[in-house]
Each structure stands twice: as structure tokens, then as C-alpha cells.
Amino acid sequence: MADDQSFDLAGCLDRVRLRDQAAARELVDHLYPLVIRIVRAHLPRRVAEEDLSQEIFMKMFTRMGQYQGAVPFSHWVSRIAVTTCIDHLRAQKRRPEFRWADLSENEAKVLDAVMTDDKAVGAGEAMAAHELVHKLIDQLKPDDRLVIQLLDLEQKTIAEISALLGWNASLVKVRAFRARRKLQKLFEELKRRERS
Amino acid sequence: MKPSEPNNPWERLTAAARRAEDTRDTAAPYGFATRVAALGLAPRQPDASLFARFSLRALGFACLLTAAAFASNYSLIASVSAPEDEMAATDDPVAEVIDIAS
């Protein structure tokens, strides 16, 4: 979506509604970066990102008639993408167990640094921190995981999350609270294990 | 664990994680748009007609009835077929030759 200014989205949508294949291809190419970023951020385990992206685009084409133009088209597609990801996350019955022994050397170092107030996480350890965050949020329920990810990693506001997911603000806050409480317990458990 | 606490571990961890840059390509893979556009605009299969749906149900019901009829009349079927089996065994030329030989 780099060439947002030059892309005639409204015209393209009109042509897609007339079942123009070339316009549909242009639309997919235009929206792919947006969709793939959402998919990569919320990708469930053992699901290929290309398969999930294809499913999202198929839903977009199927529901095209329902788009009324009340919100920007990209927001509407983002919502489809996020709800498709969460459906896949919900379908995963089991969540992987989080074990200290499974952490890589860098991840253990990062965890040690964040749990000790006097140590700072180095800039070179950002990727390990990213991996560690995903291992931790994998322990949460899919809905809680989604909220905490949007709130703390993507730094979206409650209002933005509410609009994206179609949930009311109170529900988003409750889920965020519940997720943070679970994460706190997880950290306490890790601290205890580290000491022992 | 309030997010505004500067020293809470989760806050520090997410702050570090946000510094990780995703350098992966975000352009659609070759052929992806063509495939998805073709699938997305392909004419959809019409829903099964009322007749088709009822025929499937009728077929299932007929199978159930057959099974039930077979189960309830099994003893009768078995008794009728038993003598035929014996007859078939005696009519068997090989069996007869073996019988004579012995």
C-alpha cells in the first residue's frame, strides 16, 4: 500500500463489482501488505501465512456486497483479517506449554534482564524479546492474546481496538486486565523457578 | 501489572520487542494475486436445490429402512437360505467326486 495516493480504490472496487479480473488482481496486490502484516502478527501455529492470506481475500470477495462504505475499505479488510486470524487461534485447542528450558540463550538473557530492574535489554536483543513475547502471549486465551498484542505491541488505543474487533471498550479493558494478570502470574512463576 | 509502571517486566519486555524490525518482504508472491482474483470472482456453486436436499434425506431414510427390515427379518432369511446352502453343497460336482472317492 505504498502508492496510496496514486491508487484509485473507489474505481477499482467499482470494477471488481463488475467482475473485472484485472481490477481484482490490482486490489489484491494493493491490499496484500496490509493483510500480510496482520497475518504475520497474529499467525497461529502450523498455519501457513499464504493460506491464511488467501482465505482472508476470499472472504473479502465473498462479502464485497456487504461493504457500505461507512468505514475506509482498508479498515473493513483489516477487520476481516483479524477476525479470520482469531477464528484460527480459537480453533487451536491446545496451547504450547511455556518452559524455562525451552528458551534460547538470548531469550533467557532477555527474560533475566526484564525481571531484574538494574539490567537493560540491549538493542541487539530485540528479536529475542520479540520471540519471547510471542511465547508468553501464546499462553493466553486467543481473545486475550489478541487484545494484549494490539494494545502493548502495536500500541493501538482502546477505541481503535474496539473499532477493529467490533467489541465494546469495556470488554477490551476486561480482556486486557485478565491478560496482564495472567502474564504477571507467569512472570512470578518464572522468577520462582529461576531462584530455585 | 499496570502498563504504565516503568519497571514492570512485561512493559520492559514489550518495549524491547517493539524495537525488532520485521524485514520480511510484504509484496504479494508471484501469481498470488492472479490465483486469488480468479478464485474470488469465480461463479459460485448454487446451493443445493430443495429437491436435491430432500432426495439425500430420502436416500438416507431408505437405507435406514432397509437395515431395519433386514435386522427384523434376519431369522427368516437365515432359515430360508440354509437349505439352499446345503443343496448347493451337494450339487457341487467336486464335492460329489470327493464323496464318491471316499
Side-chain angles (χ1 to χ4, degrees), chain A residues 1 24-36 40 49-50 53 57, chain B residues 24-36:
Chain A
M1 291 207 352
R25 276 200 302 273
E26 281 171 31
L27 187 64
V28 171
D29 273 332
H30 175 70
L31 292 169
Y32 189 83
L34 169 80
V35 170
I36 200 68
R40 281 174 186 164
E49 60 180 40
E50 203 175 312
S53 310
F57 281 113
Chain B
R24 287 175 289 181
D25 190 14
T26 56
Y30 182 74
F32 179 85
T34 309
R35 184 177 75 239
V36 171

Coordinates of all heavy atoms in Angstrom, one line a residue, chain A residues 1 24-36 40 49-50 53 57, chain B residues 24-36:
Chain A
M1 N 0.8 -1.2 0.0 CA 0.0 0.0 0.0 C 0.9 1.3 0.0 O 0.5 2.3 0.6 CB -0.9 0.0 1.2 CG -2.0 -1.1 1.1 SD -3.5 -0.9 1.9 CE -3.5 0.5 2.9
A24 N -9.5 -7.0 -9.8 CA -9.4 -7.8 -8.6 C -8.0 -8.1 -8.3 O -7.6 -8.1 -7.1 CB -10.2 -9.1 -8.9
R25 N -7.1 -8.3 -9.3 CA -5.7 -8.6 -9.1 C -5.0 -7.3 -8.5 O -4.3 -7.4 -7.6 CB -5.0 -8.9 -10.5 CG -5.2 -10.3 -10.9 CD -4.1 -10.7 -11.9 NE -4.2 -9.9 -13.1 CZ -4.9 -10.2 -14.2 NH1 -5.7 -11.3 -14.1 NH2 -4.9 -9.4 -15.2
E26 N -5.4 -6.1 -9.1 CA -4.8 -4.9 -8.6 C -5.2 -4.7 -7.1 O -4.4 -4.2 -6.3 CB -5.4 -3.7 -9.4 CG -4.7 -3.5 -10.7 CD -5.4 -2.5 -11.6 OE1 -6.0 -1.5 -11.0 OE2 -5.5 -2.6 -12.8
L27 N -6.5 -5.0 -6.8 CA -6.9 -4.8 -5.4 C -6.2 -5.7 -4.5 O -5.7 -5.3 -3.4 CB -8.4 -5.1 -5.3 CG -9.1 -4.8 -4.0 CD1 -9.1 -3.3 -3.7 CD2 -10.6 -5.3 -4.0
V28 N -6.0 -7.0 -4.9 CA -5.2 -7.9 -4.0 C -3.8 -7.4 -3.8 O -3.3 -7.4 -2.7 CB -5.2 -9.4 -4.6 CG1 -4.3 -10.3 -3.9 CG2 -6.6 -9.9 -4.6
D29 N -3.1 -7.0 -4.9 CA -1.8 -6.5 -4.9 C -1.7 -5.3 -3.9 O -0.7 -5.1 -3.2 CB -1.3 -6.2 -6.3 CG -0.6 -7.4 -7.0 OD1 -0.2 -8.3 -6.3 OD2 -0.7 -7.4 -8.2
H30 N -2.7 -4.4 -4.0 CA -2.7 -3.2 -3.2 C -2.9 -3.5 -1.7 O -2.2 -2.9 -0.9 CB -3.9 -2.3 -3.7 CG -4.1 -1.1 -2.9 ND1 -3.2 -0.1 -3.0 CD2 -5.0 -0.8 -2.1 CE1 -3.6 0.9 -2.1 NE2 -4.7 0.5 -1.6
L31 N -3.8 -4.5 -1.4 CA -4.1 -4.8 0.0 C -3.1 -5.8 0.6 O -3.2 -6.0 1.8 CB -5.5 -5.2 0.1 CG -6.6 -4.2 -0.2 CD1 -7.9 -4.8 -0.3 CD2 -6.6 -3.1 0.9
Y32 N -2.4 -6.5 -0.2 CA -1.5 -7.6 0.4 C -0.6 -7.2 1.5 O -0.6 -7.8 2.5 CB -0.7 -8.3 -0.8 CG -0.1 -9.5 -0.3 CD1 -0.7 -10.8 -0.3 CD2 1.3 -9.5 0.1 CE1 -0.1 -11.9 0.2 CE2 1.9 -10.7 0.6 CZ 1.2 -11.9 0.6 OH 1.8 -13.0 1.1
P33 N 0.1 -6.0 1.4 CA 1.0 -5.6 2.5 C 0.2 -5.5 3.8 O 0.7 -5.9 4.9 CB 1.6 -4.3 2.0 CG 1.5 -4.4 0.5 CD 0.2 -5.1 0.2
L34 N -1.0 -4.9 3.7 CA -1.8 -4.7 4.9 C -2.2 -6.0 5.6 O -2.0 -6.2 6.8 CB -3.0 -3.9 4.6 CG -4.1 -3.8 5.6 CD1 -3.8 -2.7 6.6 CD2 -5.5 -3.4 5.0
V35 N -2.7 -6.9 4.7 CA -3.1 -8.2 5.2 C -2.0 -9.1 5.7 O -2.1 -9.6 6.8 CB -3.9 -8.9 4.0 CG1 -4.2 -10.4 4.4 CG2 -5.2 -8.2 3.7
I36 N -0.9 -9.1 5.0 CA 0.2 -9.9 5.4 C 0.8 -9.5 6.8 O 1.3 -10.3 7.6 CB 1.3 -10.1 4.3 CG1 2.2 -11.3 4.6 CG2 2.2 -8.9 4.2 CD1 1.5 -12.6 4.4
R40 N 1.0 -11.9 9.8 CA 2.3 -12.3 10.5 C 2.2 -11.9 12.0 O 2.8 -12.6 12.8 CB 3.4 -11.5 9.8 CG 3.8 -12.2 8.5 CD 4.8 -11.4 7.8 NE 5.1 -12.0 6.5 CZ 5.7 -11.3 5.5 NH1 6.1 -10.0 5.6 NH2 5.9 -11.9 4.3
E49 N 1.2 -18.7 6.2 CA 0.7 -17.3 6.1 C 0.0 -17.1 4.7 O -0.9 -16.3 4.7 CB 1.8 -16.3 6.4 CG 3.0 -16.4 5.4 CD 4.1 -15.4 5.7 OE1 4.4 -15.1 6.9 OE2 4.7 -14.8 4.8
E50 N 0.5 -17.8 3.7 CA -0.1 -17.6 2.4 C -1.5 -18.2 2.4 O -2.4 -17.6 1.7 CB 0.8 -18.2 1.3 CG 0.6 -17.7 0.0 CD 1.5 -18.2 -1.1 OE1 2.7 -18.2 -0.8 OE2 1.0 -18.6 -2.2
S53 N -3.7 -15.7 4.2 CA -4.0 -14.5 3.4 C -5.0 -14.8 2.3 O -5.9 -14.0 2.1 CB -2.7 -14.1 2.8 OG -1.7 -14.0 3.7
F57 N -8.6 -13.0 1.7 CA -9.0 -12.3 0.4 C -10.3 -13.0 -0.2 O -11.2 -12.3 -0.7 CB -7.9 -12.4 -0.6 CG -6.9 -11.3 -0.4 CD1 -5.6 -11.7 0.0 CD2 -7.2 -10.0 -0.5 CE1 -4.6 -10.7 0.2 CE2 -6.2 -9.0 -0.3 CZ -4.9 -9.4 0.1
Chain B
R24 N 10.9 -8.7 6.6 CA 10.4 -9.6 5.5 C 9.6 -8.8 4.5 O 9.1 -7.7 4.8 CB 9.4 -10.6 6.1 CG 10.2 -11.7 6.9 CD 9.2 -12.6 7.6 NE 8.5 -12.0 8.7 CZ 7.6 -12.6 9.5 NH1 7.3 -13.8 9.3 NH2 7.0 -11.9 10.5
D25 N 9.7 -9.3 3.2 CA 9.0 -8.7 2.1 C 7.5 -8.7 2.3 O 6.9 -9.7 2.8 CB 9.4 -9.4 0.8 CG 9.0 -8.6 -0.4 OD1 8.7 -7.4 -0.3 OD2 9.0 -9.3 -1.5
T26 N 6.9 -7.6 2.0 CA 5.4 -7.5 2.1 C 4.7 -7.5 0.8 O 3.5 -7.3 0.7 CB 5.0 -6.3 2.9 OG1 5.5 -5.1 2.3 CG2 5.4 -6.3 4.4
A27 N 5.4 -7.7 -0.3 CA 4.8 -7.8 -1.6 C 4.2 -9.1 -1.8 O 4.7 -10.1 -1.3 CB 5.8 -7.5 -2.7
A28 N 3.1 -9.2 -2.6 CA 2.4 -10.5 -2.8 C 3.3 -11.4 -3.6 O 4.0 -10.9 -4.5 CB 1.1 -10.2 -3.6
P29 N 3.4 -12.7 -3.2 CA 4.2 -13.6 -4.0 C 3.7 -13.7 -5.5 O 2.6 -13.4 -5.7 CB 4.0 -15.0 -3.3 CG 3.2 -14.7 -2.1 CD 2.7 -13.4 -2.2
Y30 N 4.7 -14.1 -6.3 CA 4.3 -14.2 -7.7 C 3.1 -15.1 -8.0 O 3.1 -16.3 -7.5 CB 5.6 -14.7 -8.5 CG 5.4 -14.8 -10.0 CD1 5.4 -13.6 -10.8 CD2 5.2 -16.0 -10.6 CE1 5.1 -13.7 -12.1 CE2 4.9 -16.1 -12.0 CZ 4.9 -14.9 -12.7 OH 4.7 -15.0 -14.1
G31 N 2.2 -14.6 -8.7 CA 1.0 -15.4 -9.1 C -0.1 -15.4 -8.0 O -1.2 -15.9 -8.3
F32 N 0.2 -14.9 -6.8 CA -0.8 -14.9 -5.7 C -2.1 -14.1 -6.1 O -3.2 -14.6 -6.0 CB -0.2 -14.4 -4.5 CG -1.1 -14.4 -3.3 CD1 -1.3 -15.5 -2.5 CD2 -1.9 -13.2 -3.0 CE1 -2.2 -15.5 -1.4 CE2 -2.7 -13.2 -1.9 CZ -2.9 -14.3 -1.1
A33 N -1.9 -12.9 -6.6 CA -3.0 -12.0 -6.9 C -3.9 -12.6 -8.0 O -5.1 -12.6 -8.0 CB -2.5 -10.7 -7.3
T34 N -3.2 -13.2 -9.0 CA -3.9 -13.8 -10.2 C -4.8 -15.0 -9.7 O -6.0 -15.1 -10.0 CB -2.9 -14.4 -11.2 OG1 -2.0 -13.3 -11.5 CG2 -3.6 -14.8 -12.5
R35 N -4.2 -15.8 -8.8 CA -4.9 -17.0 -8.3 C -6.1 -16.6 -7.5 O -7.2 -17.1 -7.7 CB -3.9 -17.9 -7.5 CG -4.5 -19.2 -7.0 CD -3.6 -20.0 -6.3 NE -3.3 -19.6 -5.0 CZ -2.0 -19.2 -4.5 NH1 -1.0 -19.3 -5.4 NH2 -1.8 -18.8 -3.3
V36 N -5.8 -15.7 -6.6 CA -6.9 -15.2 -5.6 C -8.0 -14.5 -6.4 O -9.2 -14.7 -6.1 CB -6.3 -14.4 -4.5 CG1 -7.3 -13.7 -3.6 CG2 -5.4 -15.2 -3.6

